[in-house]
Amino acid sequence: MDKTSSIFGNEIDRKTIRAAFKQQKKFLKKFGDDRNTEYHLAAVDHPVLTPAFGGKLLVLSENPMENLPEKPLIIGNIRMGFGHYRISMAFASVAHKMGFTPLWFDLNSFPETLCTKIISHQNDLYSLGSRLSQKFPLFNLLVWEKLNYEGFKKLTYNAKDQAVSELMTPLFNDFPKNTPYIATHVWPSQSAVHAGMTNVVNAIPDNWPMALHLSEGALHTVQTSSSYIGYKNLRGFDKKRLLKPMKDSDILYTGHYIDAEMTDNIEEDCKKRMERIESGKPVRFLLTVGGAGAQGEFFAKIIKALISYIKENKASLYVNVGDYKGVWEKFLSSIPELNDFIKKGRLTEHFDNWDDTKSFAEKELNSDKNCGEIHAFWHKDIFSAVYATNLLIRCSDVLVTKPSELAFYPVPKLHIRRVGGHEMWGAIHSSEVGDGTPEIQDAEEAGLMAVRFITDKNLLSSMCNSIIKNKNQGLYSGCNVILERF
């Protein structure tokens, strides 16, 4: 199924086509060719996914999968940072509520396959670029920002990706072609279409239209009106010509992709936030370090800005370092005051204990503490590492995050420096709908803005009111809009 030479009726030049298939051959030579290998899958329980969402994890099996579970929904994703996993969990949450059985299909989790070898290789390069962009401003300015903002936007980039995703189809052997399938990254979407799947949704993240995310043959869903216009018209995807647009049947504006339990409890959670503000309780900050582990130094400066307020019982701090334990160890070495909190029993490390993390988040929802505390979270398991943030969001007052997928979540947000130019539009959208700050690129200013959430009650209460208003307008119901189509 050729998706390289023409994209939505727009012809691709021969030079790009040659380059696309040259890259395909390069991967075949580097990793081997398994296109004629017959892989099979099995759906098994998972300690995080199954209790939370009734979900099953798809793993390799020696035997064909004879039957899918009742009312299945395949969620195609990859581990590339935390964002695509988090969006997948949002769909799993809403799907479970609507009676589906979510099937977690991570194309980056089958190390013996060509598919995973390619994705892991690409992921390693992306993670390296993310870390370098935070350490070296010149590299960020001249290379990383341009690649993320302009390079990924080109239609020719999509043509090359399509040729590579053709190599990822052997894993789809056991699926009936019409099985409902949602992809939270473009490669699982493209590969599903190449494999002949006919009921594919390509759930596009972020708020900056890029050809990188195109998957002709799938329904493209977007979270904002501005994204809809950009994608529908393929606007700016080729600087040398105006492109033919997508058809109406190719794209749908849905609103944000948010977990059911988060959306269902918006009013109650915002009410508790405003009650804490009015009664002078410590303001609860949640700092979540991204999946590339790229912003440790930036977060350290924010923690330093909040330390005195935590001592004075005006703030509390939750820090989720995901599966990057080394980030927390760097915090301990660079912020000596943290060790003082440990000695005084005001800092608790919730490390690699999922039951403890869940229990803590549940208790915090209804706690009424007057004492400022620090709680650190680290989990070796990637699912726990990602979902810990989701649990902690509900009992937090302010989420401190780069403007990636979390920019769309219904919690007051302090947006810090982005990792890649495409992310800045998440903060722009969030600030416009009133549930977050603009992007703050300077660490010292970000620390001052964090303090503002403590000293200015109106800042937090205004965001809470906006979140409730947005919910009533359906802004956070994107997953529901999509799943109702199956």
Side-chain angles (χ1 to χ4, degrees):
M1 189 183 298
D2 178 21
K3 299 291 183 181
T4 298
S5 59
S6 176
I7 300 172
F8 293 108
N10 298 284
E11 298 301 317
I12 303 300
D13 64 279
R14 291 184 179 180
K15 181 180 178 181
T16 297
I17 295 171
R18 286 196 299 270
F21 287 102
K22 182 178 180 180
Q23 185 179 34
Q24 185 190 77
K25 291 178 182 177
K26 179 181 176 181
F27 281 128
L28 288 170
K29 183 177 180 181
K30 183 179 181 67
F31 298 120
D33 189 349
D34 67 355
R35 285 176 290 182
N36 294 319
T37 302
E38 193 170 293
Y39 293 115
H40 298 295
L41 301 172
V44 300
D45 287 347
H46 184 274
V48 176
L49 294 175
T50 304
F53 313 120
K56 303 282 187 179
L57 183 68
L58 292 176
V59 298
L60 285 180
S61 171
E62 293 183 359
N63 302 309
M65 182 187 295
E66 295 183 359
N67 294 297
L68 292 176
E70 186 176 356
K71 201 174 181 183
L73 173 73
I74 303 170
I75 302 178
N77 58 71
I78 63 171
R79 161 73 195 273
M80 181 173 276
F82 288 169
H84 303 287
Y85 258 33
R86 196 182 318 280
I87 295 171
S88 297
M89 288 175 173
F91 279 106
S93 170
V94 177
H96 181 48
K97 180 182 177 182
M98 296 176 66
F100 290 91
T101 300
L103 301 175
W104 192 274
F105 186 39
D106 177 3
L107 273 67
N108 199 19
S109 66
F110 306 98
E112 48 270 86
T113 68
L114 174 59
C115 174
T116 293
K117 290 173 183 176
I118 292 173
I119 293 173
S120 295
H121 173 72
Q122 302 281 65
N123 187 29
D124 289 344
L125 291 176
Y126 190 85
S127 295
L128 175 62
S130 294
R131 292 192 297 272
L132 291 176
S133 73
Q134 299 302 297
K135 292 182 179 180
F136 303 107
L138 196 60
F139 172 83
N140 185 55
L141 177 66
L142 298 179
V143 179
W144 198 243
E145 283 276 297
K146 286 188 175 182
L147 175 62
N148 280 272
Y149 199 66
E150 298 175 6
F152 291 160
K153 194 175 183 68
K154 296 177 181 178
L155 197 66
T156 52
Y157 193 96
N158 183 258
K160 294 175 183 177
D161 258 9
Q162 286 281 8
V164 173
S165 63
E166 288 181 13
L167 305 177
M168 302 178 185
T169 58
L171 283 167
F172 289 78
N173 265 338
D174 286 352
F175 301 144
K177 300 302 184 186
N178 65 342
T179 308
Y181 182 103
I182 291 177
T184 61
H185 185 280
V186 70
W187 294 337
S189 178
Q190 291 172 351
S191 55
V193 173
H194 284 302
M197 302 291 286
T198 59
N199 205 3
V200 180
V201 169
N202 177 29
I204 295 174
D206 300 321
N207 187 34
W208 174 242
M210 298 188 291
L212 164 72
H213 292 304
L214 297 178
S215 176
E216 187 173 5
L219 172 65
H220 297 66
T221 62
V222 293
Q223 300 182 87
T224 70
S225 298
S226 60
S227 276
Y228 179 87
I229 294 171
Y231 278 106
K232 179 72 161 58
N233 295 288
L234 306 182
R235 187 171 181 268
F237 289 10
D238 190 329
K239 291 185 177 181
K240 296 181 180 179
R241 56 173 172 159
L242 295 176
L243 298 172
K244 297 177 183 178
M246 290 185 180
K247 296 177 181 178
D248 290 346
S249 57
D250 291 324
I251 187 167
L252 177 70
Y253 162 68
T254 64
H256 301 183
Y257 314 137
I258 306 298
D259 310 59
E261 58 271 20
M262 210 174 291
T263 304
D264 290 347
N265 290 286
I266 280 176
E267 290 88 353
E268 182 64 22
D269 293 345
C270 283
K271 178 184 176 182
K272 291 176 180 177
R273 290 179 184 122
M274 289 190 280
E275 287 175 349
R276 285 193 290 269
I277 298 167
E278 293 303 321
S279 61
K281 303 294 182 185
V283 177
R284 301 172 176 182
F285 292 87
L286 169 57
L287 276 60
T288 177
V289 181
Q295 292 181 302
E297 293 179 6
F298 200 106
F299 278 116
K301 292 179 180 179
I302 296 174
I303 294 172
K304 290 176 182 177
L306 290 172
I307 283 289
S308 63
Y309 292 90
I310 301 172
K311 290 179 179 177
E312 296 169 4
N313 300 319
K314 295 179 180 178
S316 286
L317 188 63
Y318 310 142
V319 183
N320 182 20
V321 296
D323 56 354
Y324 288 87
K325 191 176 184 180
V327 172
W328 177 247
E329 292 169 349
K330 288 181 180 178
F331 287 160
L332 291 177
S333 62
S334 63
I335 310 172
E337 294 92 337
L338 293 178
N339 293 289
D340 295 335
F341 276 87
I342 293 175
K343 293 175 183 177
K344 295 177 181 178
R346 294 176 65 180
L347 191 158
T348 305
E349 294 177 338
H350 305 264
F351 282 4
D352 213 23
N353 187 331
W354 183 236
D355 288 337
D356 172 57
T357 297
K358 287 196 300 179
S359 176
F360 173 82
E362 290 168 1
K363 290 177 182 176
E364 287 292 274
L365 273 175
N366 298 302
S367 70
D368 198 23
K369 297 177 181 176
N370 288 306
C371 178
E373 297 177 343
I374 300 175
H375 295 268
F377 300 85
W378 165 78
H379 294 87
K380 187 184 301 182
D381 172 67
I382 178 60
F383 297 95
S384 305
V386 175
Y387 202 57
T389 290
N390 294 43
L391 296 182
L392 293 167
I393 280 175
R394 288 195 54 206
C395 51
S396 301
D397 296 321
V398 183
L399 172 64
V400 182
T401 179
K402 69 186 181 76
S404 55
E405 83 290 342
L406 284 168
F408 297 88
Y409 274 65
V411 57
K413 292 174 289 288
L414 165 55
H415 291 116
I416 64 171
R417 185 173 64 200
R418 62 184 179 265
V419 180
H422 62 293
E423 290 185 342
M424 73 174 176
W425 291 92
I428 291 171
H429 173 71
S430 175
S431 63
E432 288 179 341
V433 301
D435 64 8
T437 70
E439 178 190 356
I440 299 176
Q441 295 194 29
D442 179 76
E444 183 178 353
E445 183 185 358
L448 292 173
M449 180 59 74
V451 171
R452 282 284 307 280
F453 277 99
I454 300 171
T455 59
D456 184 352
K457 294 180 179 180
N458 290 330
L459 183 59
L460 195 52
S461 62
S462 173
M463 289 187 184
C464 286
N465 288 328
S466 293
I467 289 168
I468 294 171
K469 177 182 176 182
N470 293 338
K471 181 197 173 177
N472 292 334
Q473 295 176 344
L475 188 66
Y476 305 120
S477 299
C479 292
N480 301 71
V481 171
I482 294 168
L483 287 166
E484 286 167 359
R485 298 175 66 88
F486 291 129

